[in-house]
Structures are given as structure tokens and as C-alpha cells.
């Protein structure tokens, strides 16, 4: 289960406070040392943990006293609020263009879940807005990727523009956008190539696609199982492409929390959706407060 270890650790830490009438500075410091350990073990980025612990400690030691809450409830409340802040406070909607089509470009490392998430997004737009999206298959390095997108297209009854794996992906995108214009598709979802790690050639290609397509949304798809590495990779993509949002995938697995808790702070970009399964309807809007509650158990 996602965040299991972290939740258990935090619950244990907070239960040690239960029944205490008033918390001494030493109590607070001790608790925050434990929270720090728990977050580091959950693979949260070191700087993020440092700032988080400092903020919570200062608030808990400060004059904030709510009469209705016990001291331990107060600490939990502060941790809850700061976890929410760390993940961005509010849900952030998908960017939308004033003129059709809204263009969404999916980017990320291979295996993160780009193609699957492209399908999930199209499914969501179709069911919620009765939208008529078009996929563009621009991952020409992995022949299976084009086939995978076509299969998803068939399942969802969403057209896929593809030219196989020979042409330059920038040309494929250019031609695909023309088709979208002719057919008056309201959304275009571009599936791009990934690699096992960031490389210059890939970034160059993605930049060229961006320059041509002017996407309204560049979604970095991050595998939450990769922990804080996901945040580092996201920062790399952001630096090159100025991403507009993040999708965290595989939150149905036993991810520890490092990605969810680091990525917003490290990139400054909002997590917009979370993937919670392999099926095409398993994509949800990301709500930082709900995620904080889930972590606190
Ligand atoms: P891409 O290389 O980035 O396009 O990745 P794919 O879309 O091919 O996904 C890689 C694998 O991750 C596939 O087996 C997907 O079914 C799986 N996957 C994607 N998103 C999720 C998710 O939210 N939960 C789970 N459990 N698996 C996912």
C-alpha cells in the first residue's frame, strides 16, 4: 500500500505524544527528529525535509495555541497543514486553450506511464466533457509505443495520428496538428519518446516539438515508485522544457512517498493528476489535502 511505512512511522511518533498535558520544547524537538527520520526513510529529498521540519518545529514551538485541541492534536494539525503546503495546497486544473485544440504534450522517462496516462487523460476528457481528442504518436524509438497507443485509441474510440517509426517526430506532430485542425478536434494529446535517463538528443527533440506545437500543457509523467529520483528528473525536464504540470503514476503500488512529497517543492510545478492503476479510468485529480490525510492515515 502506498505510504504504508511512512504512515505507520508517523502514527507511532504522534501516539507517543498522546496524553501529554503540555509539550515541552524538548518534546517537540524529539518528535520532529523522528518525523525527519521517517521522511528521509520514505525517500523524501533532503532539502525538502530540512525546510519542512524547520517550519513545523517553529510553528509548534510558537505561540499557536488552540484551546480546543490537545498538544498532540496541534502538532498533528501543523504537520497535516505543512504536508499539504508541500504538495501545493489546492488542486490545479488542466490548462485549456481559448481556441481549439488544447494541446497537451506528455513527457517523461521510458516506463513512467506516459502512453497509459495519455489514454487515461483522453478517457477522462471524453467522459467528463464529451471531448473529441486526437492522439499523435510521436514516440518513434519504441515501435511498441505506437502500437500501444493505437490499441488504446481503439479501446476508447479516439483517433490516433501516426506515421510509423521512420519520420522525424517533429514532422509527425506537424502533420498531426493539421489533421486535428481539419477534423476540429478539441484536444490533441502528443505522446513523446522517453529514455531510461535524460539525454541531450531527446531533450533537443522535445524542445523542437514544443517550439512547433506550442502546447498549452506539458505534463511530466513521473513514476512515484522512483522516489526522490522522480523529483530530480522532473527538475531536469523542467529546466529544459518549462513543464506546466506533473502526473504521478503508480500510486496504487507500495510507493514510499518520496516522489509525492518532493516533486512540487523541487520543481515548483503542480502535481495535477495521479495514476492509481493500469486501467484507463484510474486517473484522479490530485488533491494535496487528501493526500496529506492519506499519508497521516
Ligand atoms: P511509457 O514508456 O512512459 O509510455 O510507459 P507506459 O505507459 O507504457 O507504462 C509502463 C507500465 O506502467 C505499463 O505496464 C503500464 O500499465 C504501467 N502503469 C502506468 N501507469 C500506472 C499506474 O498508475 N498504476 C500501475 N499499477 N501501473 C501503471
Amino acid at each position: 500500500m502506498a505510504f504504508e511505512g511512512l504512515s505507520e512511522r508517523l502514527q507511532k511518533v504522534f501516539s507517543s505524544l498522546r496524553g501529554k498535558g503540555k509539550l515541552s520544547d524538548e518534546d517537540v524537538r524529539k518528535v520532529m527528529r523522528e518525523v525527519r527520520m521517517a521522511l528521509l526513510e520514505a525517500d523524501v529529498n533532503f532539502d525538502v525535509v530540512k525546510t519542512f521540519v524547520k517550519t513545523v518545529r517553529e510553528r509548534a514551538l510558537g505561540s499557536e495555541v488552540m484551546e480546543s485541541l490537545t498538544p498532540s492534536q496541534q502538532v498533528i494539525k501543523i504537520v497535516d497543514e505543512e504536508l499539504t503546503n508541500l504538495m501545493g495546497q489546492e488542486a490545479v486544473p488542466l490548462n485549456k486553450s481559448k481556441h481549439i485544440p488544447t494541446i497537451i504534450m506528455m513527457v517523461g522517462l521510458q516506463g513512467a506511464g506516459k502512453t497509459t496516462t495519455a489514454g487515461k487523460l483522453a478517457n477522462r476528457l471524453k467522459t467528463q466533457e464529451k471531448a473529441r481528442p486526437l492522439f499523435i504518436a510521436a514516440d518513434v524509438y519504441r515501435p511498441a509505443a505506437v502500437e500501444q497507443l493505437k490499441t488504446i485509441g481503439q479501446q476508447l474510440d479516439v483517433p490516433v495520428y501516426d506515421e510509423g517509426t521512420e519520420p522525424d517526430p517533429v514532422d509527425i506532430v506537424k502533420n498531426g496538428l493539421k489533421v486535428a485542425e481539419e477534423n476540429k478536434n478539441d484536444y490533441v494529446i502528443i505522446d513523446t519518446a522517453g529514455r531510461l535517463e535524460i539525454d541531450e538528443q531527446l531533450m533537443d527533440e522535445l524542445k523542437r516539438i514544443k517550439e512547433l506545437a506550442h502546447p498549452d500543457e506539458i505534463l511530466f509523467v513521473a513514476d512515484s515508485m522512483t522516489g526522490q529520483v522522480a523529483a530530480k528528473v522532473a527538475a531536469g525536464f523542467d529546466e529544459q522544457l518549462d513543464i506546466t504540470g506533473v502526473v504521478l503514476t503508480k500510486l496504487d503500488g507500495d510507493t514510499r512517498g518520496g516522489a509525492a512529497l518532493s516533486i512540487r517543492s523541487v520543481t515548483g510545478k503542480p502535481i495535477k493528476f495521479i495514476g492509481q492503476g493500469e486501467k484507463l479510468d484510474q486517473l484522479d485529480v490530485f488533491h494535496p489535502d487528501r493526500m496529506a490525510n492519506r499519508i497521516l492515515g
Side-chain angles (χ1 to χ4, degrees), residues 109 111-116 120 142 148 250 252 275-278:
L109 295 184
K114 274 183 308 298
T115 309
T116 310
K120 288 176 173 180
R142 202 164 59 91
Q148 192 186 343
K250 307 183 195 179
D252 50 311
Q276 313 212 70
E278 294 188 275

Side-chain angles (χ1 to χ4, degrees), residues 38-53:
L39 290 171
L40 289 174
E41 266 174 38
D43 201 24
V44 182
N45 171 282
F46 184 79
D47 292 331
V48 173
V49 174
K50 208 167 138 189
T51 311
F52 176 83
V53 167

Side-chain angles (χ1 to χ4, degrees), residues 107-266:
V107 302
L109 295 184
Q110 194 173 308
K114 274 183 308 298
T115 309
T116 310
T117 305
K120 288 176 173 180
L121 259 182
N123 183 41
R124 191 182 174 85
L125 293 167
K126 267 194 83 162
T127 36
Q128 299 207 330
E129 303 180 17
K130 300 213 173 357
R132 294 176 48 250
L134 170 83
F135 290 124
I136 299 179
D139 180 356
V140 297
Y141 301 99
R142 202 164 59 91
V146 179
E147 289 312 312
Q148 192 186 343
L149 194 61
K150 281 187 182 171
T151 306
I152 290 173
Q154 269 165 10
Q155 272 172 289
L156 296 174
D157 196 19
V158 168
V160 180
Y161 183 83
D162 90 284
E163 295 182 18
T165 56
E166 288 297 315
D168 183 340
V170 181
D171 291 332
I172 300 178
V173 172
K174 193 168 161 188
N175 297 334
L177 289 174
K178 271 190 216 139
V179 170
E181 199 174 319
E182 283 159 19
N183 295 344
K184 301 199 166 44
N185 293 102
D186 43 12
Y187 286 93
V188 172
I189 302 175
I190 307 170
D191 190 24
T192 66
R195 297 273 207 281
L196 293 175
E197 53 188 27
I198 294 183
D199 74 44
E200 211 173 304
Q201 195 200 352
L202 172 69
M203 282 303 166
D204 188 55
E205 176 180 306
L206 295 176
K207 277 193 239 175
R208 289 195 299 128
I209 293 177
K210 179 186 170 179
E211 271 165 36
L212 175 100
H214 299 294
D216 303 287
E217 188 80 77
I218 301 179
L219 288 177
F220 175 76
V221 179
D223 179 345
S224 65
M225 301 293 284
T226 62
Q228 63 166 314
V229 167
K232 205 168 150 229
V233 176
F237 272 77
D238 188 40
E239 203 175 289
Q240 303 278 335
L241 295 167
D242 193 15
I243 61 171
T244 55
V246 175
V247 181
L248 263 188
T249 64
K250 307 183 195 179
L251 275 174
D252 50 311
D254 54 0
T255 167
R256 284 182 292 167
L261 289 168
S262 310
I263 223 162
R264 169 73 202 226
S265 283
V266 170

Side-chain angles (χ1 to χ4, degrees), residues 19-34:
K20 287 203 183 240
K22 190 175 180 306
L23 300 185
S24 65
D25 286 9
E26 185 46 35
D27 287 332
V28 172
R29 280 179 215 287
K30 201 167 144 232
V31 163
M32 289 319 295
R33 272 199 297 273
E34 297 281 334

